[in-house]
Amino acid sequence: MADLYAENGLPSAQGLYRPENEHDACGIGFIAHVKGHRSHDIITRGIEILMNLTHRGACGCDSETGDGAGILVQIPHAFFQRATQHLGFSLPAAGEYGVGMVFLPVEPLARRTCEGILERIAREEGLEVCGWRDTPTDGDAIGRVARNSQPYIQQVFLSRGSAAGSEETDTDTLERKLYIVRKRAAHEISNSTINDRGCFYIPSLSARTIVYKGLLLAPQIARFFPELNEPDFVSALCLVHQRFSTNTFPTWQLAHPFRYIAHNGEINTLRGNANWMHARQSILASPLFGPDIAKLFPISPKSASDSSTLDNVLELLVQSGRSLPHAVMMMIPEPWTNHESMSAEKKAFYEYHSCLMEPWDGPASIAFT
């Protein structure tokens, strides 16, 4: 078990200390334009929300190193078109490509090896590699401890290529292929000797959203990622999180938001939830994945935090064809059994899904998109 937690840079079990006994309470917020209008103002307001959550985060003895902060936004297509035009490749239309935010080892050989594995897997899955972009960062904006563990941060651009097939060409198909690529790359690299201190991690790989996060304090994020200040960096939504890492040790990988959620509180039923999901893997099936579903296992690594585990399972349910509200209600049901004012139809919904999945329960607030 100690080795599993060490993959994420956590301390090993020692004396009376056990990393699985940590608990957390963070700060989350979000802003969205109800009509879906994208603007830089949404980014600005989202960062303002994040800064107002500074008191919900924590820092170590190095007062400039936080437990983690981040934002999730829609992919700013016009910005990326401009930012990549001098890199020797062009981007397809919006929705025709995915952007991956990738944490890589600092050591050049290990980094290039990880890049090569990701590119190979993308091509094997029928995607085309448009190119890579170094994500501009300002190391002076963060603390010494954060800099010492900072991964090399790049963005990879993958277009649909032949992956969409002839029958279905929507963005959902591309999302599923990107999902498979990310899972395959993470599994292959984590099971090899390449991964330098667990530095390979993909915060997001999507045709819809992108995550900027790290071992930061809330006021540092717009300085560390200066492109968040660009006028053409636009979105219709912004999901933010300031971390207080009492459930797991602070690392770059475990900062929020994750790919679908930002979470405050604790999932008390985590051990049972995770064990049941692992047990179900042998019977999971989906016509949208077919035999490819085996490429997704394990759905969530044993060293993942409660938030990361919930996010991984929610992602599977959504990628398998359920709507996001459906998947969330399935995982986090209301107290419905003796609810006097709940409709019979809604009770039937919860009763049916209680046969498929146990509740992910705890004193938690979860924002999702």
Side-chain angles (χ1 to χ4, degrees):
M1 181 64 73
D3 291 338
L4 293 171
Y5 285 96
E7 289 178 5
N8 276 334
L10 308 182
S12 299
Q14 50 194 294
L16 296 177
Y17 175 78
R18 291 294 182 272
E20 64 268 27
N21 291 333
E22 302 271 5
H23 302 282
D24 70 359
C26 314
I28 61 172
F30 62 87
I31 183 170
H33 194 285
V34 294
K35 295 185 177 180
H37 176 68
R38 302 187 186 209
S39 69
H40 184 66
D41 185 58
I42 290 290
I43 306 294
T44 302
R45 290 169 181 260
I47 292 173
E48 181 181 357
I49 292 171
L50 182 60
M51 293 181 67
N52 289 336
L53 292 171
T54 300
H55 67 287
R56 294 307 304 266
C59 61
C61 57
D62 169 11
S63 61
E64 295 300 312
T65 295
D67 279 3
I71 71 171
L72 181 155
V73 297
Q74 291 174 308
I75 290 175
H77 175 62
F79 169 79
F80 281 131
Q81 275 189 317
R82 176 173 65 83
T84 59
Q85 63 185 1
H86 68 286
L87 298 178
F89 63 90
S90 58
L91 295 178
E96 298 291 320
Y97 67 96
V99 184
M101 185 70 83
V102 188
F103 291 173
L104 292 157
V106 174
E107 197 278 315
L109 179 58
R111 180 169 72 247
R112 287 193 292 269
T113 303
C114 291
E115 292 170 358
I117 290 173
L118 183 56
E119 289 187 13
R120 170 178 55 78
I121 291 173
R123 294 188 177 103
E124 289 174 355
E125 295 297 336
L127 299 179
E128 294 181 1
V129 180
C130 299
W132 292 81
R133 173 180 181 252
D134 283 351
T135 306
T137 59
D138 181 2
D140 292 334
I142 61 178
R144 173 182 53 81
V145 174
R147 284 196 301 272
N148 288 343
S149 60
Q150 179 185 334
Y152 195 94
I153 306 175
Q154 283 191 292
Q155 293 161 349
V156 63
F157 297 83
L158 306 176
S159 65
R160 62 171 69 246
S162 62
S166 58
E167 297 181 0
E168 191 178 8
T169 58
D170 63 339
T171 306
D172 288 340
T173 309
L174 177 58
E175 285 287 283
R176 280 189 290 275
K177 277 297 180 184
L178 295 169
Y179 178 39
I180 292 172
V181 168
R182 196 193 82 233
K183 296 292 280 189
R184 283 189 59 192
H187 295 160
E188 181 170 334
I189 294 173
S190 66
N191 291 327
S192 72
T193 58
I194 303 166
N195 203 6
D196 176 22
R197 293 179 302 159
C199 282
F200 179 82
Y201 178 76
I202 304 178
S204 62
L205 178 57
S206 171
R208 294 189 170 106
T209 58
I210 186 168
V211 173
Y212 288 77
K213 70 178 187 178
L215 207 56
L216 313 171
L217 293 167
Q220 296 171 342
I221 191 162
R223 290 176 53 207
F224 184 72
F225 294 113
E227 60 195 47
L228 297 177
N229 302 303
E230 295 292 331
D232 55 350
F233 196 101
V234 299
S235 176
L237 61 88
C238 188
L239 181 62
V240 302
H241 187 276
Q242 171 68 69
R243 190 163 187 253
F244 186 81
S245 58
T246 51
N247 190 5
T248 50
F249 203 72
T251 68
W252 283 80
Q253 294 92 327
L254 292 180
H256 295 223
F258 289 99
R259 299 162 190 115
Y260 282 69
I261 68 156
H263 169 217
N264 167 36
E266 180 183 348
I267 303 298
N268 289 339
T269 56
L270 177 64
R271 187 179 295 272
N273 297 137
N275 288 342
W276 274 112
M277 276 307 302
H278 181 72
R280 290 189 187 104
Q281 286 184 175
S282 62
I283 60 171
L284 290 180
S286 168
L288 295 177
F289 287 106
D292 282 348
I293 198 164
K295 299 175 181 178
L296 307 177
F297 302 155
I299 299 302
S300 187
K302 292 183 179 180
S303 57
S305 65
D306 58 340
S307 308
S308 176
T309 303
L310 185 146
D311 185 78
N312 278 310
V313 175
L314 180 61
E315 180 179 37
L316 173 71
L317 296 177
V318 174
Q319 295 285 11
S320 299
R322 292 174 176 84
S323 70
L324 182 56
H326 182 157
V328 171
M329 291 172 71
M330 181 175 171
M331 294 183 69
I332 315 171
E334 299 173 68
W336 57 271
T337 307
N338 297 313
H339 199 306
E340 296 179 357
S341 61
M342 184 180 291
S343 68
E345 290 82 4
K346 196 171 186 182
K347 284 186 178 181
F349 173 92
Y350 285 129
E351 183 176 10
Y352 171 77
H353 286 94
S354 70
C355 300
L356 304 179
M357 176 171 286
E358 67 293 330
W360 293 62
D361 199 10
S365 174
I366 300 173
F368 53 89
T369 185

